[in-house]
Amino acid sequence: MQNVIPDSSKQIFRDIYPHRPARIAHGFADHPLLTLDALAALAARMRPDTLEHNAAIDVPLGTPTTKLPPNGLTTLQTIEQIESCGSWVLLREIEQDPAYAALMADVLGEVRPIIEARTGRMHKLRAFVFISSPHAVTQPHFDPEYNILFQAHGRKTVTLFPTADEQIVGQRFFESYFAGGQRYLPWREEHGLRGQAIAIEPGESIFVPLFAPHHVKVHADVSVSLSLTWCSAWSFAAIDAHKFNARLRRLGLSPAAPRMFPAGNRIKALGERAAERLERMAAR
């Protein structure tokens, strides 16, 4: 598979990466691996710990992960009944399947030169599929990776907020999240005024910047989206800086927020990595 991202879209991506969201065209919405039948077959052979589903209709924004209502179905039943069951399915790390690993490599290979020229070598490439009922909602959250969300079926609106927006996601939330805490962000109605809503349909994608809060609403048809993500040495350092800030806060200090790209977070990242090494040695 070649040239699935048009040159004009690559230029858009080159202009906005890694700071700004943008709609980008693509040419593989009708790929046979992205049909509901193919995805049901994929789910049947995936590791159970990489499958997730829940009810997703009329769930208020800001509902914590632990409060999302179950739908009483298995993941496979949810996919089979996705048009009517009012739910959301996540297939995580689908690169565990060779066919989907190849698809991910093909697509990201087209933008790899742009990415690596700006943020350096790509690390930890991963692929996710979202299958959603009409009108399903994905709760406000941020991604700890760079992310391009490719729409294959149906339409959805992604509402994005400024990267690491202190009004939406504070430093204490970052620190808790990277310690294994709550995934979804708390929500207040006034947050909505700060967002940029971008609708995508089959043949369109959206680049979601690292740490940019966002939530998603599906339109009137079943939605299938492929999310391709990656990390960089800079993003790893930023995450480690958040973890180190949590250590400093436990000592009663008030650390400054990690610096945003292209500024570095090397000292805090090295401090966190050294602390983790000492903890591992002490645990032996």
Side-chain angles (χ1 to χ4, degrees):
M1 188 172 63
Q2 295 182 339
N3 299 321
V4 297
I5 300 177
D7 289 343
S8 57
S9 290
K10 290 175 184 171
Q11 184 57 54
I12 291 171
F13 184 63
R14 184 177 290 107
D15 291 342
I16 58 92
Y17 180 76
H19 295 295
R20 304 197 311 275
R23 189 187 292 110
I24 301 166
H26 70 86
F28 65 103
D30 58 352
H31 197 287
L33 290 178
L34 300 178
T35 66
L36 285 176
D37 286 345
L39 294 171
L42 170 65
R45 60 182 184 265
M46 286 177 62
R47 301 193 313 271
D49 65 302
T50 56
L51 305 177
E52 184 177 339
H53 67 282
N54 54 258
I57 302 293
D58 298 326
V59 180
L61 293 179
T63 300
T65 311
T66 55
K67 300 293 185 181
L68 293 174
N71 64 7
L73 303 171
T74 67
T75 300
L76 287 178
Q77 289 170 337
T78 302
I79 295 173
E80 291 167 353
Q81 301 176 41
I82 196 65
E83 186 151 2
S84 60
C85 67
S87 298
W88 170 91
V89 174
L90 170 59
L91 308 182
R92 292 191 285 112
E93 300 170 30
I94 63 170
E95 72 278 3
Q96 65 190 266
D97 184 279
Y100 289 88
L103 175 61
M104 177 182 71
D106 285 346
V107 176
L108 288 182
E110 296 203 5
V111 290
R112 180 184 289 271
I114 299 170
I115 292 166
E116 295 193 338
R118 190 68 54 83
T119 54
R121 181 181 173 189
M122 297 171 74
H123 299 273
K124 203 174 179 180
L125 277 63
R126 289 184 174 174
F128 306 79
V129 163
F130 300 91
I131 307 168
S132 307
S133 297
H135 310 297
V137 170
T138 301
Q139 294 293 316
H141 65 287
F142 65 86
D143 297 322
E145 313 94 355
Y146 308 92
N147 175 19
I148 305 179
L149 183 70
F150 296 89
Q151 193 68 6
H153 185 84
R155 300 179 70 240
K156 62 172 45 171
T157 293
V158 182
T159 300
L160 294 110
F161 301 86
T163 297
D165 187 339
E166 285 278 359
Q167 299 298 314
I168 308 292
V169 49
Q171 290 305 308
R172 289 177 183 266
F173 188 95
F174 274 117
E175 293 163 21
S176 172
Y177 173 88
F178 289 118
Q182 163 68 23
R183 179 201 311 175
Y184 292 136
L185 293 163
W187 183 256
R188 298 195 303 270
E189 286 305 313
E190 58 264 32
H191 289 168
L193 300 175
R194 303 175 65 81
Q196 174 188 5
I198 301 178
I200 53 174
E201 60 185 33
E204 295 180 330
S205 67
I206 180 170
F207 171 64
V208 180
L210 180 76
F211 302 149
H214 57 283
H215 61 77
V216 184
K217 178 68 179 287
V218 174
H219 294 203
D221 297 310
V222 169
S223 170
V224 174
S225 306
L226 172 68
S227 177
L228 301 182
T229 73
W230 64 96
C231 299
S232 67
W234 186 91
S235 70
F236 288 146
I239 291 169
D240 285 338
H242 282 296
K243 293 179 180 179
F244 195 68
N245 274 358
R247 293 179 187 273
L248 297 176
R249 205 176 300 280
R250 289 194 293 270
L251 295 174
L253 302 176
S254 298
R259 303 168 72 193
M260 296 305 296
F261 184 87
N265 296 288
R266 184 171 181 270
I267 294 175
K268 286 182 177 179
L270 291 175
E272 176 60 24
R273 293 165 192 174
E276 291 180 2
R277 281 195 298 272
L278 290 173
E279 289 171 347
R280 288 193 296 270
M281 292 171 62
R284 289 175 183 171

